[in-house]
PDB file of all heavy atoms in Angstrom:
ATOM      1  N   ALA F  18     106.166  90.501  89.726  1.00  0.00           N
ATOM      2  CA  ALA F  18     104.943  89.900  89.211  1.00  0.00           C
ATOM      3  C   ALA F  18     105.031  88.396  89.286  1.00  0.00           C
ATOM      4  O   ALA F  18     104.029  87.716  89.419  1.00  0.00           O
ATOM      5  CB  ALA F  18     104.705  90.347  87.772  1.00  0.00           C
ATOM      6  N   ALA F  19     106.251  87.845  89.221  1.00  0.00           N
ATOM      7  CA  ALA F  19     106.394  86.404  89.242  1.00  0.00           C
ATOM      8  C   ALA F  19     106.345  85.856  90.663  1.00  0.00           C
ATOM      9  O   ALA F  19     106.254  84.650  90.846  1.00  0.00           O
ATOM     10  CB  ALA F  19     107.712  86.012  88.588  1.00  0.00           C
ATOM     11  N   VAL F  52     117.606  84.658 106.470  1.00  0.00           N
ATOM     12  CA  VAL F  52     117.723  86.114 106.539  1.00  0.00           C
ATOM     13  C   VAL F  52     117.748  86.526 107.999  1.00  0.00           C
ATOM     14  O   VAL F  52     117.006  85.974 108.829  1.00  0.00           O
ATOM     15  CB  VAL F  52     116.539  86.804 105.833  1.00  0.00           C
ATOM     16  CG1 VAL F  52     116.766  88.319 105.792  1.00  0.00           C
ATOM     17  CG2 VAL F  52     116.343  86.260 104.434  1.00  0.00           C
ATOM     18  N   TYR F  61     126.837  91.255 121.416  1.00  0.00           N
ATOM     19  CA  TYR F  61     126.359  90.084 122.155  1.00  0.00           C
ATOM     20  C   TYR F  61     125.551  89.154 121.268  1.00  0.00           C
ATOM     21  O   TYR F  61     126.027  88.102 120.862  1.00  0.00           O
ATOM     22  CB  TYR F  61     125.560  90.502 123.400  1.00  0.00           C
ATOM     23  CG  TYR F  61     125.298  89.327 124.300  1.00  0.00           C
ATOM     24  CD1 TYR F  61     126.284  88.846 125.168  1.00  0.00           C
ATOM     25  CD2 TYR F  61     124.070  88.648 124.262  1.00  0.00           C
ATOM     26  CE1 TYR F  61     126.061  87.749 125.971  1.00  0.00           C
ATOM     27  CE2 TYR F  61     123.849  87.544 125.065  1.00  0.00           C
ATOM     28  CZ  TYR F  61     124.837  87.098 125.917  1.00  0.00           C
ATOM     29  OH  TYR F  61     124.617  86.005 126.713  1.00  0.00           O
ATOM     30  N   ARG F  75     126.785  73.953 109.073  1.00  0.00           N
ATOM     31  CA  ARG F  75     127.594  72.756 109.333  1.00  0.00           C
ATOM     32  C   ARG F  75     126.739  71.518 109.500  1.00  0.00           C
ATOM     33  O   ARG F  75     127.228  70.399 109.331  1.00  0.00           O
ATOM     34  CB  ARG F  75     128.470  72.967 110.576  1.00  0.00           C
ATOM     35  CG  ARG F  75     129.680  73.841 110.322  1.00  0.00           C
ATOM     36  CD  ARG F  75     130.720  73.682 111.419  1.00  0.00           C
ATOM     37  NE  ARG F  75     130.312  74.331 112.654  1.00  0.00           N
ATOM     38  CZ  ARG F  75     130.532  75.607 112.933  1.00  0.00           C
ATOM     39  NH1 ARG F  75     131.147  76.389 112.059  1.00  0.00           N
ATOM     40  NH2 ARG F  75     130.139  76.119 114.081  1.00  0.00           N
ATOM     41  N   GLN F  76     125.473  71.697 109.834  1.00  0.00           N
ATOM     42  CA  GLN F  76     124.609  70.529 110.013  1.00  0.00           C
ATOM     43  C   GLN F  76     123.984  70.069 108.700  1.00  0.00           C
ATOM     44  O   GLN F  76     123.204  69.113 108.668  1.00  0.00           O
ATOM     45  CB  GLN F  76     123.501  70.836 111.030  1.00  0.00           C
ATOM     46  CG  GLN F  76     124.041  70.964 112.454  1.00  0.00           C
ATOM     47  CD  GLN F  76     122.939  71.041 113.482  1.00  0.00           C
ATOM     48  OE1 GLN F  76     121.922  70.354 113.366  1.00  0.00           O
ATOM     49  NE2 GLN F  76     123.128  71.877 114.497  1.00  0.00           N
ATOM     50  N   LEU F 102     131.089  96.063 106.494  1.00  0.00           N
ATOM     51  CA  LEU F 102     130.497  94.736 106.295  1.00  0.00           C
ATOM     52  C   LEU F 102     131.569  93.732 105.869  1.00  0.00           C
ATOM     53  O   LEU F 102     131.608  92.600 106.356  1.00  0.00           O
ATOM     54  CB  LEU F 102     129.378  94.808 105.256  1.00  0.00           C
ATOM     55  CG  LEU F 102     128.168  95.677 105.625  1.00  0.00           C
ATOM     56  CD1 LEU F 102     127.183  95.743 104.460  1.00  0.00           C
ATOM     57  CD2 LEU F 102     127.462  95.148 106.870  1.00  0.00           C
ATOM     58  N   ALA F 106     132.830  90.349 107.780  1.00  0.00           N
ATOM     59  CA  ALA F 106     132.808  89.069 107.070  1.00  0.00           C
ATOM     60  C   ALA F 106     134.167  88.383 107.163  1.00  0.00           C
ATOM     61  O   ALA F 106     134.255  87.163 107.350  1.00  0.00           O
ATOM     62  CB  ALA F 106     132.402  89.272 105.618  1.00  0.00           C
ATOM     63  N   LEU F 124     113.763 103.402 105.615  1.00  0.00           N
ATOM     64  CA  LEU F 124     112.343 103.064 105.504  1.00  0.00           C
ATOM     65  C   LEU F 124     112.122 101.673 104.906  1.00  0.00           C
ATOM     66  O   LEU F 124     111.363 100.882 105.471  1.00  0.00           O
ATOM     67  CB  LEU F 124     111.586 104.152 104.720  1.00  0.00           C
ATOM     68  CG  LEU F 124     110.078 103.952 104.594  1.00  0.00           C
ATOM     69  CD1 LEU F 124     109.406 103.788 105.950  1.00  0.00           C
ATOM     70  CD2 LEU F 124     109.450 105.112 103.830  1.00  0.00           C
ATOM     71  N   PRO F 125     112.777 101.309 103.790  1.00  0.00           N
ATOM     72  CA  PRO F 125     112.650  99.929 103.320  1.00  0.00           C
ATOM     73  C   PRO F 125     113.100  98.911 104.370  1.00  0.00           C
ATOM     74  O   PRO F 125     112.521  97.825 104.484  1.00  0.00           O
ATOM     75  CB  PRO F 125     113.571  99.872 102.091  1.00  0.00           C
ATOM     76  CG  PRO F 125     113.741 101.279 101.664  1.00  0.00           C
ATOM     77  CD  PRO F 125     113.572 102.145 102.868  1.00  0.00           C
ATOM     78  N   LEU F 153     113.830  81.592 107.640  1.00  0.00           N
ATOM     79  CA  LEU F 153     114.108  80.758 106.473  1.00  0.00           C
ATOM     80  C   LEU F 153     113.085  81.069 105.393  1.00  0.00           C
ATOM     81  O   LEU F 153     111.878  80.965 105.622  1.00  0.00           O
ATOM     82  CB  LEU F 153     114.031  79.275 106.855  1.00  0.00           C
ATOM     83  CG  LEU F 153     114.139  78.268 105.693  1.00  0.00           C
ATOM     84  CD1 LEU F 153     115.523  78.337 105.053  1.00  0.00           C
ATOM     85  CD2 LEU F 153     113.822  76.852 106.180  1.00  0.00           C
ATOM     86  N   THR F 185     115.670  69.673  94.118  1.00  0.00           N
ATOM     87  CA  THR F 185     114.394  69.741  93.405  1.00  0.00           C
ATOM     88  C   THR F 185     114.551  68.896  92.154  1.00  0.00           C
ATOM     89  O   THR F 185     115.540  69.007  91.446  1.00  0.00           O
ATOM     90  CB  THR F 185     114.059  71.188  93.004  1.00  0.00           C
ATOM     91  OG1 THR F 185     115.225  71.775  92.426  1.00  0.00           O
ATOM     92  CG2 THR F 185     113.658  71.989  94.216  1.00  0.00           C
ATOM     93  N   SER F 186     113.580  68.065  91.904  1.00  0.00           N
ATOM     94  CA  SER F 186     113.711  67.110  90.783  1.00  0.00           C
ATOM     95  C   SER F 186     113.330  67.736  89.463  1.00  0.00           C
ATOM     96  O   SER F 186     113.878  68.558  88.912  1.00  0.00           O
ATOM     97  CB  SER F 186     112.785  65.937  90.979  1.00  0.00           C
ATOM     98  OG  SER F 186     111.472  66.437  91.151  1.00  0.00           O
TER      99      SER F 186
END
Side-chain angles (χ1 to χ4, degrees):
Chain F
V52 186
Y61 191 79
R75 283 197 287 273
Q76 290 189 39
L102 297 176
L124 183 55
L153 173 66
T185 47
S186 55

